[in-house]
Amino acid sequence: MLDVIEASECEEMWCLGDLVGYGADPDACVELARRHAAICLAGNHDMGVRGDLPLEQFSRGAALAARWTQETITTETREYLNGLEPVLLDEQVGLYHASPRDPIWEYVLSALQAELCLDDQSHRVCLIGHSHVALSFGRLPGEPASGQTRSGGEELDLEQGEWLVNPGSVGQPRDGDPRAAWLELDLDAASAVYHRVDYDIDGAAAAIRAARLPDSLAERLSYGQ
């Protein structure tokens, strides 16, 4: 996927968090983010691994993976994760791991949730992650928020109104499309394009099984769930 991004006209790569937590290559993932991402946020799984969140708040599979990650990662990986925050408000758009109301835990999947977040956010356009679902919610003046899931190739015109935009997930997407998801954002044109890219799902699943992590974490990759 990095080759695809490098071949695009993008000037920077941003990551909205959860570098570690489910997969079997946490050090490699963090190293790629460290080398290529101009901005990187902390996700709830990153914060769980570094000890900021009780693992009892996670699902059984996620907690087991987090404990394995804690025992596996290098000192350099841990130090990088320790320097990340779940929100960044210094750019033209707001960046949150989860949502403007709750940067760590809220899954924004409904128009009502989007409405409440749009009321709360300080930027006209915000990028959110956490749900692993590629989607967007928009609100024009005087109208309620509305939105939908997004497929690869779909374009957004962000010039008018307020927006919450989720690029989807590179790892473990949950919208039925197993391919890695990313978003090409043009700040000057106020537009965005959703992209999906094939990756080695079988290899990722095999690594999860070789690490003796829960088999469900490997199985779900093929289904985009």
Side-chain angles (χ1 to χ4, degrees):
M1 193 185 85
L2 289 172
D3 292 341
V4 176
I5 295 175
E6 189 172 318
S8 73
E9 297 182 359
C10 294
E11 297 178 359
E12 290 187 350
M13 189 177 80
W14 297 351
C15 174
L16 298 178
D18 281 349
L19 300 174
V20 302
Y22 285 119
D25 298 296
D27 289 325
C29 289
V30 168
E31 176 60 17
L32 287 173
R34 189 187 67 79
R35 287 168 49 198
H36 296 284
I39 294 173
C40 190
L41 303 186
N44 58 302
H45 290 271
D46 305 318
M47 298 178 73
V49 165
R50 71 192 195 189
D52 291 349
L53 298 175
L55 295 184
E56 290 75 18
Q57 296 180 5
F58 293 78
S59 68
R60 176 181 177 276
L64 288 171
R67 291 190 182 95
W68 176 87
T69 303
Q70 288 174 335
E71 297 168 357
T72 302
I73 57 175
T74 65
T75 300
E76 291 77 13
T77 292
R78 189 179 300 276
E79 288 175 351
Y80 183 81
L81 294 177
N82 285 342
L84 304 180
E85 298 293 338
V87 56
L88 181 68
L89 302 178
D90 295 338
E91 298 295 323
Q92 287 179 245
V93 297
L95 303 176
Y96 301 88
H97 171 66
S99 86
R101 294 197 306 165
D102 182 346
I104 300 172
W105 284 114
E106 184 176 22
Y107 294 93
V108 183
L109 296 170
S110 72
L112 174 58
Q113 287 175 297
E115 190 86 40
L116 296 170
C117 288
L118 291 166
D119 287 342
D120 202 53
Q121 67 191 43
S122 55
H123 291 72
R124 189 178 66 81
V125 177
C126 290
L127 302 184
I128 58 174
H130 190 51
S131 70
H132 296 226
V133 177
L135 52 77
S136 68
F137 291 97
R139 183 173 68 182
L140 295 174
E143 297 182 12
S146 63
Q148 65 190 74
T149 57
R150 298 291 181 175
S151 302
E154 288 196 61
E155 299 183 23
L156 296 180
D157 181 354
L158 305 173
E159 194 168 2
Q160 303 295 325
E162 301 164 286
W163 290 86
L164 281 171
V165 179
N166 192 320
S169 180
V170 172
Q172 205 187 93
R174 296 175 186 166
D175 56 5
D177 186 339
R179 296 176 298 168
W182 68 283
L183 182 81
E184 187 173 355
L185 176 67
D186 188 329
L187 294 174
D188 293 329
S191 64
V193 181
Y194 283 87
H195 296 281
R196 301 304 282 248
V197 181
D198 290 315
Y199 76 99
D200 184 8
I201 293 174
D202 291 340
I208 289 171
R209 293 188 173 105
R212 298 188 177 181
L213 292 168
D215 192 69
S216 61
L217 300 182
E219 187 71 18
R220 68 191 303 173
L221 295 180
S222 298
Y223 297 96
Q225 297 294 333

